[in-house]
Amino acid sequence: MVSKLRQYSYGLAALALAAGAVITTPMGSVAVAQTQDLNQTVAALLASNPNGGDQLAQAVHDLVLANSAALNVIVAAVKANGNDAQQSAVGQGLGMAAQDAVKANNQQLAVAIQAAVAASGMPLAVASFTTAAGDATIAAISNAGGQQAGGTG
């Protein structure tokens, strides 16, 4: 159990590097400097979580909420290099992040997350996102086909 917590803590520390944040983990608080290399951080995240899972989902959630610039980097990386399990976990993490953005009254971030998932072309990510986002799902997913929201006039 301790090794799992350490592994999780190391993953969060890598995320914090990209976000320039202080993250509290089961192993304590980690203060880190900001780095510009989100691509490297996201690649390391995928490499350290080849089976996807809740740990990857939570890491994606934390990274996007800490640094919204990571959103498009994550989606592009998992689309280019992610397997089905990783795509599903990323969708889950982004769904959780969208839900938390809505709770924090950050509709702009919630819409950006949902639009990125809808446009990703990754059905597993979309399905996991929809499940995780729950009631937070808004027009971006329902209009993934490019239709305008609202009536026909």
Side-chain angles (χ1 to χ4, degrees):
M1 178 67 173
V2 172
S3 67
K4 287 279 189 194
L5 291 176
R6 276 200 185 106
Q7 183 181 18
Y8 181 71
S9 295
Y10 295 144
L12 288 178
L15 294 178
L17 281 170
V22 174
I23 294 183
T24 302
T25 71
M27 302 304 286
S29 294
V30 180
V32 293
Q34 185 169 357
T35 181
Q36 297 295 322
D37 199 355
L38 286 171
N39 289 323
Q40 184 178 8
T41 300
V42 172
L45 239 155
L46 292 176
S48 65
N49 293 282
N51 298 321
D54 291 342
Q55 186 173 343
L56 178 58
Q58 187 64 51
V60 165
H61 164 272
D62 294 346
L63 180 56
V64 169
L65 291 180
N67 184 350
S68 61
L71 173 61
N72 292 327
V73 175
I74 291 167
V75 171
V78 78
K79 184 173 182 177
N81 302 311
N83 59 40
D84 288 353
Q86 290 171 321
Q87 289 182 14
S88 183
V90 166
Q92 178 186 348
L94 292 175
M96 295 183 318
Q99 188 176 52
D100 285 348
V102 168
K103 288 178 186 175
N105 293 319
N106 189 345
Q107 283 296 114
Q108 184 177 1
L109 179 58
V111 168
I113 294 168
Q114 293 171 335
V117 174
S120 72
M122 296 183 292
L124 292 173
V126 171
S128 294
F129 172 88
T130 303
T131 299
D135 292 338
T137 303
I138 57 175
I141 291 296
S142 62
N143 291 321
Q147 299 173 345
Q148 295 281 338
T152 57

